[in-house]
Amino acid sequence: MNIYKRSGKATLLLATGLAAAVSLTAGIANAADEVVMAVPTFLTGAGAPAFGVPARNGAELIIEAINKGTLPAPYDKSGKGLAGRQIKALIYDESGGGAKQVTEFRNKVQKQGVDLFVGYISSGTCAAITPVAEELKMLTIFPICGTPRIFEEINTKPKYVFRTMGHATADGVAEALYVKANMPNVKGYTGINQNYAWGQDSWRDFDLAMKQLMPSVPASEKAQWPKIFSGQYGAEISALMLSKEKLVHSSLWGGDLEAFIFQGSARGLFRKKQLLFSVADTSVYRLGKKAPAGAILGARGPYGIFAANVDTPLNNWFRKVYLDRYSVPPVGGSYQAAQGVLAAKYAYDKAAAANGGKFPSKDQVIAALEGATYQGIAAKVHMNRSNGHQAATKHMIGVLQWDKEKGEPIMTKVTEFAPDCVMPPSGINGTEWLKGGMKGAKC
Amino acid sequence: MRYVDKTVIGLSIAFVVLVFADFFMAEWMRFIGLQSLARGAVALGLLVLWRTGLVSFGHALYFGFGAYTAAMLTLIGFHDAFFLVFAGTLSAGVLAFLLGFLLRRYRAIFFALLNMAFSMILYGVIVKTEELGSTDGFSLGPPTFLGYAPEGEAVQTALFLFTLVFTYIVTVGVHLYMKTTLGSMSMAVRENEIRVEYLGYSAEKVIHVKYVFSGLVAGFGGAIIALAIGQVDPDSMANWTVSGEFVFITILSGIGNVGATYIGALVFELIRTYAFEYAPQVWQFILGGSLLAIIMFLPDGIWSLFSRFRKSEG
Amino acid sequence: MQELIVILVDGLVFSSYLFMVAVGLTVIFGVMKILNVTHGSFYAFGAYMSATLIGAYYETDLPEFGGFLAIFAAALIIGVFFGVVLERCLLRFLYHRDEHIIVLATFAMFLVLEDVLLMIWGTDPYYAFEPMALLGSVDIVELTFDVYSLTLIGLAGVVCLGLWLGLTKTKWGKLLLAVIFDREISQAMGINVTVVFTATFVIGAIMGALGGAYIAPTISVSPGIGVEVIVLAFAVVVIGGMGSIPGALIGSLLVGISRAAAVHKFPEIELFVIYAIMALVLAIRPEGLFAPAQARKI
């Protein structure tokens, strides 16, 4: 078999080629007067329409406005760019799982000379990126991903990684508080959550919070766990309609949520049961009249539809330019991504000011952001958890209705929760905090 | 010196060059190199199987099993790379040994798909296990090397060296094994199994041995990737698309030479890296397009380019 | 009793869905011995095309029930176009190669088409709920069901019966069976295998597209729907026996009804139902429940 033989010369050739390839060092050719910001977000796959693309749009708008210096107050006096330098944005796809994203993170840092990251939507990617970001000493701002594990387990003393919104525990607490206040006579609750990390965490936190706040109200033993992206909910809807519990908790999002709503509406599910959707704001504008009026809704904080009536120059500007350009109003992901980019704007400018107007070093930027309170698009962001790296913001829950006059969905019966009411205090694990009776919550 | 042929010499030179390069490489390049070594090792296992005419669409099963075994051991306090990689490799090998009794009876597309079915079962189990982070997976800290605990960039440098040594040994071992009687039997099984049996060899045993080997190296690759990335999750470790990537690399490399799998893996990583960089919205298009082009125009894989070069020279 | 009937109805609906999703895959495998990963793209393109046509149709003042025609038109357009193009321009160059190379080629084509889909339709989802809204709902054992989903049972029945009759009662079907049994001898006997292959692939593609097109009104047609279908269809086909149409039917029923029972009784294990059945079948009868016998060639 001659294919096994005579390959020595070729192997030698290969060795030389490899040696040549590896001796190339990273050729970074970014201009000195710009800041390279990598923005990973879902551009393909199921995460794109619900979170990825709205997040990209939100980030894009803010980056452009920062570069042109057209942001309204309170960012109108700080000049163009980040501490005077233009942002060069590298927007790329987050699809493909943790391993691929870690590889890509290293590529972006070492090959393309990225100065900071603002992005990542999936909790799985954030969890994979955190250790690498710390290892490579790369300023990384997570604007969206929800898992509390980032700073509770993976890195309890972060230096380079920040998250600029509240984590998933806050969602569960706010939902349970809302139920307690508005449905005091509820007899029990069940749920339909996708069988993957986000769905499992959402149900666990809501369930734990309910057990503390309404200990006499039992959870159903038959909460539904459809496979993620299954899209067919016939049997689940039957089971929910036959269950005795009135309240149904659901963290479905995107295509799954919309399919569930179509199939549920056709069968009258939403007339029979009180639904509580923890992230359904991503779909309400798109669904329009098809969105189930009367459902309790969250947006993981004061974002998207909850910010529709916030009358500040920044929010009015954001909603207007977003609607003009993308012909839909901004949703949660758009706000959250924009909020992440604003953290960079705030930190660079503040650090430059403290540095006598000169462009700040990375450590100075980090010091400026640690523990800071800055203005997001529609709410104040308090970076006051996990050594000043984890944000707390207020949280909002309400009931969805259709406004006939305006012809758009609106939120009614909205309750606002203070940041310290729904987020666990610094230094305690969210699950333990819930199990221990949410000590130190200031509501 | 009947064991030293040109492939062994070539591999040894590549090994020495890479050992030195390890200390000078750009970090991103080393990371891609490390992944190429690990994935190339998995592809090597598939290559061995392929020589008997079998292709598995489910080796993410062993890759994921090795990765998760290594990662779970860190949860109970083991951090030594030697131990973790050994355990990951061995556990995948044991699994392959057990499933091998069933799988060795099947050929062609049925063999390919049964493997895929088993890998999907593992995927389902991981997704359902909340203790292991479900789809988010979980992280493992940096490994130590027999008491040496590097930090920062040194972790990757050490891990690269570690991986390089083991892949070198395995690759040369496979090459030499292929030259033994049992090793040569694989081509015979591929061509005509029944005739092999008339010669007094058990085709099923030949296949079983190769299957266990492919499981071992896939587990090895998985454990290395888990350590390199510091995170395991089912979508990058055990999903069917991961198995597809391994077959992709194998076909990219071609059947010609054991060293080719590493080049195949490197080319794969580079295509993906540059597609991500220059065409973030159509990287799947580019990946799929390159694969199609290779299937259509380079039926014997990249290695055939080297062979052509040699022919034109001679 | 009520629960039992509900499980049965839910199970039948889901089985029909599975059957529609899997049948195209099994037809192509049965005749051509190709595991066609591009099947997922046919499904996705069928769904997008259907949503687009339905949307366009209801912009006009034509009678409401005509919207259903849009579904079948979408399946035909996509199936014929992609079927012919893929078979004639790609697969026929690969027939002499190893089976797994062909699988990988269809996998590559799937990756390419995923992005083509995004280029044509973008990332925003498409809705086409009109046909579902049109049919309304019906009460069975005091529980409301939507009629559209129930019609899926009928469609699956018609497709299954049509394929069965076509295969066993027509001349063309008998030619097909001959090709399935032995490709080379059929060719020697004068059957035009090339035409049979193209026709089979087109029919398989139409089936795949029809699955997507018919499901489109009940879902949000958005990126990523193709990937999910591949795994599901693959599992059903493995359980039933690769390439067997009765196998696909039994496999769908087995998985569909077990899954509905799990959802009602033990929702925690729903995720595992399909894997568990697959593992069980593989352990006992790895070639699938209805696999055709294989000749051993010396």
Side-chain angles (χ1 to χ4, degrees):
Chain A
M1 297 302 286
N2 61 14
I3 59 166
Y4 297 141
K5 293 180 193 162
R6 289 186 221 275
S7 42
K9 196 180 287 168
T11 320
L12 192 64
L13 191 77
L14 143 74
T16 331
L18 271 182
V22 295
S23 55
L24 289 172
T25 41
I28 298 166
N30 293 309
D33 56 347
E34 62 187 19
V35 179
V36 185
M37 180 191 284
V39 185
T41 171
F42 286 113
L43 300 177
T44 63
F51 297 107
V53 171
R56 182 201 62 193
N57 295 348
E60 224 169 41
L61 276 185
I62 296 289
I63 291 170
E64 274 174 33
I66 289 175
N67 281 344
K68 286 191 199 137
T70 53
L71 277 181
Y75 296 99
D76 54 338
K77 293 185 187 65
S78 50
K80 293 180 182 179
L82 297 182
R85 292 192 184 172
Q86 292 286 298
I87 301 172
K88 179 182 165 195
L90 300 177
I91 296 173
Y92 69 95
D93 193 5
E94 192 189 327
S95 304
K100 197 181 285 177
Q101 288 305 319
V102 169
T103 315
E104 205 41 42
F105 187 89
R106 288 179 183 271
N107 286 341
K108 287 276 179 288
V109 173
Q110 293 155 353
K111 193 152 141 287
Q112 290 179 270
V114 165
D115 296 300
L116 81 157
F117 282 73
V118 180
Y120 297 115
I121 289 167
S122 146
S123 291
T125 345
C126 288
I129 291 297
T130 303
V132 196
E134 291 289 333
E135 182 206 318
L136 299 181
K137 302 186 169 39
M138 175 53 48
L139 173 57
T140 304
I141 298 172
F142 295 145
I144 298 177
C145 55
T147 178
R149 289 174 41 242
I150 303 286
F151 298 130
E152 286 179 0
E153 287 169 27
I154 295 167
N155 195 326
T156 48
K157 293 192 184 67
K159 172 139 203 292
Y160 298 95
V161 178
F162 292 84
R163 172 161 50 194
T164 53
M165 73 176 287
H167 56 59
T169 305
D171 304 337
V173 174
E175 289 151 18
L177 284 169
Y178 191 87
V179 169
K180 187 180 181 184
N182 293 284
M183 298 178 72
N185 300 321
V186 69
K187 296 276 187 308
Y189 56 97
T190 180
I192 174 163
N193 294 283
Q194 291 140 314
N195 213 340
Y196 84 119
W198 165 254
Q200 293 156 359
D201 290 353
S202 297
W203 170 256
R204 189 195 56 222
D205 286 351
F206 174 71
D207 190 40
L208 282 175
M210 282 297 283
K211 285 195 167 44
Q212 291 300 328
L213 293 168
M214 304 181 84
S216 61
V217 179
S220 165
E221 309 214 316
K222 287 191 190 168
Q224 293 298 321
W225 293 104
K227 182 181 170 304
I228 185 170
F229 307 140
S230 82
Q232 294 295 313
Y233 301 101
E236 282 87 350
I237 291 169
S238 296
L240 288 176
M241 286 174 80
L242 291 176
S243 69
K244 56 183 192 300
E245 292 84 7
K246 169 94 176 151
L247 177 65
V248 183
H249 173 270
S250 175
S251 60
L252 295 180
W253 53 268
D256 280 6
L257 170 73
E258 288 155 16
F260 177 70
I261 288 176
F262 291 148
Q263 293 161 26
S265 305
R267 301 177 58 181
L269 174 69
F270 306 113
R271 286 193 300 274
K272 217 170 158 182
K273 298 286 170 185
Q274 174 64 56
L275 265 289
L276 190 167
F277 289 115
S278 63
V279 280
D281 86 291
T282 50
S283 297
V284 288
Y285 285 115
R286 212 181 283 131
L287 287 169
K289 258 189 192 168
K290 297 290 278 179
I296 301 172
L297 212 74
R300 302 202 51 224
Y303 311 111
I305 192 171
F306 287 95
N309 300 320
V310 175
D311 187 21
T312 63
L314 187 57
N315 186 52
N316 290 338
W317 165 83
F318 185 66
R319 289 191 85 83
K320 182 171 182 321
V321 289
Y322 194 101
L323 186 63
D324 287 349
R325 185 183 299 187
Y326 305 111
S327 22
V328 280
V331 296
S334 327
Y335 271 89
Q336 291 147 9
Q339 185 163 293
V341 178
L342 280 182
K345 169 74 176 158
Y346 170 86
Y348 272 84
D349 289 352
K350 182 177 159 196
N355 197 26
K358 288 201 296 284
F359 190 77
S361 70
K362 188 195 297 171
D363 285 344
Q364 287 169 324
V365 175
I366 288 170
L369 190 54
E370 266 177 359
T373 294
Y374 74 96
Q375 181 64 47
I377 303 288
K380 278 250 186 295
V381 182
H382 310 273
M383 302 296 298
N384 59 7
R385 304 287 197 277
S386 303
N387 299 337
H389 285 249
Q390 166 65 52
T393 66
K394 65 180 179 183
H395 208 297
M396 294 164 97
I397 307 279
V399 171
L400 179 70
Q401 291 298 346
W402 177 255
D403 187 329
K404 276 189 200 136
E405 281 161 30
K406 285 199 233 162
E408 62 175 28
I410 49 160
M411 296 311 303
T412 60
K413 299 185 193 160
V414 174
T415 307
E416 256 190 58
F417 303 95
D420 290 330
C421 175
V422 290
M423 279 290 282
S426 238
I428 181 164
N429 178 307
T431 311
E432 282 162 25
W433 178 65
L434 285 173
K435 284 182 180 156
M438 297 185 265
K439 288 196 183 67
K442 295 190 201 82
C443 292
Chain B
M1 293 295 281
R2 57 182 283 252
Y3 293 118
V4 180
D5 63 7
K6 286 182 177 172
T7 298
V8 175
I9 296 171
L11 285 170
S12 307
I13 294 173
F15 171 71
V16 174
V17 169
L18 284 172
V19 167
F20 283 106
D22 184 22
F23 298 96
F24 304 105
M25 260 189 275
E27 251 188 288
W28 67 272
M29 192 65 215
R30 183 188 300 114
F31 194 68
I32 287 183
L34 182 54
Q35 295 222 37
S36 308
L37 286 176
R39 287 178 207 278
V42 186
L44 183 66
L46 289 182
L47 178 93
V48 168
L49 272 179
W50 191 7
R51 281 189 170 169
T52 59
L54 294 172
V55 170
S56 158
F57 288 138
H59 262 50
L61 171 65
Y62 303 108
F63 186 75
F65 203 74
Y68 266 80
T69 306
M72 284 191 300
L73 285 171
T74 66
L75 292 181
I76 52 169
F78 293 98
H79 289 284
D80 188 84
F82 285 88
F83 178 70
L84 295 178
V85 172
F86 175 74
T89 310
L90 188 70
S91 64
V94 170
L95 184 66
F97 175 70
L98 296 176
L99 289 181
F101 285 105
L102 180 72
L103 287 161
R104 68 185 196 179
R105 289 157 47 201
Y106 295 90
R107 302 292 177 271
I109 201 79
F110 296 95
F111 177 83
L113 291 179
L114 285 188
N115 274 291
M116 183 167 165
F118 281 113
S119 81
M120 279 164 58
I121 291 171
L122 176 73
Y123 181 80
V125 170
I126 296 174
V127 169
K128 193 60 209 169
T129 314
E130 280 182 57
E131 292 72 24
L132 296 180
S134 181
T135 42
D136 281 356
F138 62 97
S139 344
L140 45 160
T144 58
F145 299 85
L146 301 177
Y148 166 58
E151 275 178 33
E153 194 179 340
V155 178
Q156 300 294 334
T157 313
L159 198 58
F160 186 84
L161 200 61
F162 174 89
T163 311
L164 195 58
V165 170
F166 280 96
T167 41
Y168 171 71
I169 295 171
V170 170
T171 311
V172 171
V174 168
H175 177 69
L176 295 180
Y177 168 77
M178 284 299 177
K179 291 172 37 171
T180 65
T181 313
L182 199 60
S184 322
M185 205 54 77
S186 49
M187 280 299 197
V189 172
R190 174 194 173 95
E191 294 305 326
N192 195 319
E193 211 176 279
I194 292 170
R195 291 185 196 166
V196 169
E197 301 212 335
Y198 283 134
L199 289 175
Y201 291 96
S202 160
E204 288 198 356
K205 267 194 195 143
V206 172
I207 287 169
H208 201 160
V209 168
K210 294 185 187 214
Y211 191 72
V212 172
F213 172 76
S214 71
L216 283 168
V217 282
F220 169 79
I224 294 287
I225 292 278
L227 294 182
I229 290 172
Q231 160 90 7
V232 286
D233 68 90
D235 282 312
S236 17
M237 307 288 180
N239 207 354
W240 65 274
T241 47
V242 179
S243 304
E245 285 170 13
F246 292 140
V247 183
F248 186 155
I249 293 172
T250 316
I251 291 184
L252 197 64
S253 322
I255 205 165
N257 188 286
V258 286
T261 55
Y262 301 100
I263 311 175
L266 183 67
V267 170
F268 174 76
E269 291 289 338
L270 289 176
I271 294 175
R272 190 160 74 180
T273 301
Y274 284 99
F276 246 85
E277 190 172 325
Y278 293 108
Q281 295 209 304
V282 289
W283 61 273
Q284 295 190 95
F285 187 97
I286 292 173
L287 209 59
S290 337
L291 178 53
L292 276 181
I294 285 162
I295 290 175
M296 301 291 278
F297 304 116
L298 273 184
D300 298 320
I302 309 180
W303 193 253
S304 59
L305 282 180
F306 289 104
S307 319
R308 280 182 208 177
F309 171 78
R310 236 174 23 240
K311 262 183 208 144
S312 64
E313 199 187 26
Chain C
M1 192 60 205
Q2 183 202 21
E3 196 174 33
L4 204 66
I5 296 174
V6 171
I7 288 177
L8 204 65
V9 176
D10 286 339
L12 276 177
V13 170
F14 195 74
S15 306
S16 311
Y17 164 71
L18 288 176
F19 181 77
M20 287 309 298
V21 159
V23 69
L25 193 70
T26 215
V27 164
I28 290 176
F29 187 85
V31 179
M32 306 168 78
K33 300 284 172 287
I34 291 175
L35 182 82
N36 176 32
V37 182
T38 323
H39 185 71
S41 314
F42 296 157
Y43 177 91
F45 272 88
Y48 269 97
M49 189 51 122
S50 165
T52 309
L53 290 186
I54 290 172
Y57 185 86
Y58 285 102
E59 297 275 297
T60 67
D61 294 327
L62 296 165
E64 283 185 320
F65 275 92
F68 285 88
L69 289 177
I71 294 174
F72 295 99
L76 275 177
I77 296 170
I78 295 295
V80 172
F81 177 75
F82 281 108
V84 171
V85 169
L86 278 184
E87 205 275 336
R88 288 286 83 195
C89 303
L90 176 69
L91 291 179
R92 79 186 166 100
F93 297 109
L94 299 172
Y95 288 144
H96 62 283
R97 307 274 294 273
D98 286 354
E99 287 164 323
H100 58 265
I101 301 264
I102 305 182
V103 181
L104 209 65
T106 63
F107 176 55
M109 204 59 220
F110 168 75
L111 289 178
V112 169
L113 289 179
E114 276 289 276
D115 278 351
V116 171
L117 199 72
L118 283 184
M119 289 175 208
I120 299 177
W121 279 285
T123 48
D124 277 348
Y126 285 75
Y127 307 141
F129 45 77
E130 288 90 350
M132 185 156 133
L134 197 63
L135 291 185
S137 61
V138 61
D139 281 6
I140 304 174
V141 288
E142 293 166 18
L143 190 68
T144 314
F145 286 91
D146 67 284
V147 177
Y148 188 87
S149 298
L150 299 176
T151 62
L152 196 59
I153 304 177
L155 179 72
V158 168
V159 167
C160 187
L161 203 68
L163 284 175
W164 183 73
L165 286 178
L167 269 181
T168 53
K169 305 284 174 204
T170 63
K171 182 182 162 217
W172 192 82
K174 284 176 183 150
L175 292 181
L176 204 60
L177 288 178
V179 175
I180 294 173
F181 192 74
D182 196 317
R183 191 186 299 179
E184 282 151 18
I185 303 233
S186 316
Q187 197 146 21
M189 302 293 277
I191 298 176
N192 189 340
V193 174
T194 314
V195 172
V196 171
F197 268 32
T198 312
T200 309
F201 197 76
V202 168
I203 290 176
I206 293 175
M207 289 298 143
L210 182 61
Y214 206 80
I215 293 297
T218 69
I219 60 170
S220 159
V221 182
S222 40
I225 54 175
V227 188
E228 295 310 309
V229 160
I230 294 173
V231 179
L232 211 57
F234 160 69
V236 169
V237 167
V238 165
I239 290 168
M242 313 240 338
S244 154
I245 289 167
L249 181 69
I250 300 295
S252 308
L253 284 171
L254 197 62
V255 173
I257 293 177
S258 318
R259 182 184 170 278
V263 165
H264 283 275
K265 290 293 183 191
F266 312 100
E268 276 284 331
I269 62 159
E270 183 270 340
L271 185 72
F272 280 117
V273 169
I274 195 158
Y275 300 127
I277 295 179
M278 196 161 68
L280 209 66
V281 169
L282 287 180
I284 300 165
R285 212 180 137 76
E287 63 276 29
L289 296 175
F290 278 78
Q294 292 284 322
R296 230 182 158 199
K297 285 177 194 167
I298 296 185

